[in-house]
Amino acid sequence: MLSVNTVAPDFSLPDQNGILHSLSDYKGKKVVLYFYPKDNTGGCTKHAKGFSELKQQFDAKNTVILGVSKDSVSSHKNFETKQNLTITLLSDEEKTVISAYDVWHEKKMAGKAYMGVVRTSYLINENGLVIYASDKVKAAENPAQMLSML
């Protein structure tokens, strides 16, 4: 995980519609950049729906929400449609941004170890500096928590 007061690495990734987004596109705005393991799973759905429900409040605070996973553009489109999401989902199939933000780690489930995305949230200020970082994210609570920090 990146440390607070670190310059957030710039990136360029496609969203659920195939449109490229770069972090540098959002200079002058705050960015909630959150990483999640997989589209259409329980926790990830709660997380994305929570951000979607609060999107207008984030907009009012000049803040953009970007969700990132290693799922494909078409998987993100299906997730957006199925769950009526209103946020931007970025596809990082090559795990370049996932690696740059240090969220790809060993995880354990049912006694088996595997590599995966650790649910992590960053708040990046208008100048591209990380001002909050957490890898102890509770999917259902994180959207309101991030909003309260603005």
Side-chain angles (χ1 to χ4, degrees), residues 129-146:
L129 197 67
V130 174
I131 58 173
Y132 173 81
S134 177
D135 61 0
K136 306 283 189 258
V137 174
K138 292 186 175 155
E141 298 168 12
N142 186 239
Q145 174 196 23
M146 298 300 283

Side-chain angles (χ1 to χ4, degrees), residues 34-39 44 67-69 71 76 79 89 117 119:
Y34 82 96
F35 293 86
Y36 65 98
K38 189 159 179 56
D39 291 341
C44 298
V68 180
S69 82
D71 293 305
H76 281 347
F79 187 34
L89 303 173
V117 172
R119 190 181 308 279

Side-chain angles (χ1 to χ4, degrees), residues 1-2 8-9 11 13 23 31-39 43-44 47-48 51 65-71 76 88-92 95-104 107 116-124 130 133-139 142 146:
M1 182 174 68
L2 299 180
F11 57 80
L13 292 174
L23 183 61
V31 175
V32 171
L33 182 65
Y34 82 96
F35 293 86
Y36 65 98
K38 189 159 179 56
D39 291 341
C44 298
H47 209 179
F51 276 121
I65 303 161
L66 301 174
V68 180
S69 82
K70 65 182 187 64
D71 293 305
H76 281 347
T88 301
L89 303 173
L90 302 178
S91 173
D92 187 15
K95 299 189 292 286
T96 54
V97 178
I98 287 167
S99 295
Y101 281 80
D102 193 28
V103 298
W104 186 255
K107 299 167 79 175
V117 172
V118 174
R119 190 181 308 279
T120 306
S121 289
Y122 290 100
L123 182 57
I124 301 165
V130 174
S134 177
D135 61 0
K136 306 283 189 258
V137 174
K138 292 186 175 155
N142 186 239
M146 298 300 283

Side-chain angles (χ1 to χ4, degrees), residues 46-94:
K46 283 180 190 163
H47 209 179
K49 287 183 89 144
F51 276 121
S52 288
E53 289 165 6
L54 297 173
K55 184 178 181 302
Q56 288 184 329
Q57 292 174 59
F58 280 98
D59 290 346
K61 294 182 181 282
N62 198 34
T63 304
V64 175
I65 303 161
L66 301 174
V68 180
S69 82
K70 65 182 187 64
D71 293 305
S72 68
V73 168
S74 61
S75 176
H76 281 347
K77 188 64 181 174
N78 173 277
F79 187 34
E80 173 196 47
T81 303
K82 184 175 178 182
Q83 303 298 337
N84 296 312
L85 302 177
T86 59
I87 59 172
T88 301
L89 303 173
L90 302 178
S91 173
D92 187 15
E93 290 184 275
E94 302 298 317

Side-chain angles (χ1 to χ4, degrees), residues 17-35:
N17 299 307
I19 298 167
L20 285 178
H21 293 257
S22 297
L23 183 61
S24 56
D25 294 342
Y26 299 105
K27 285 274 187 202
K29 291 181 177 251
K30 288 187 181 83
V31 175
V32 171
L33 182 65
Y34 82 96
F35 293 86

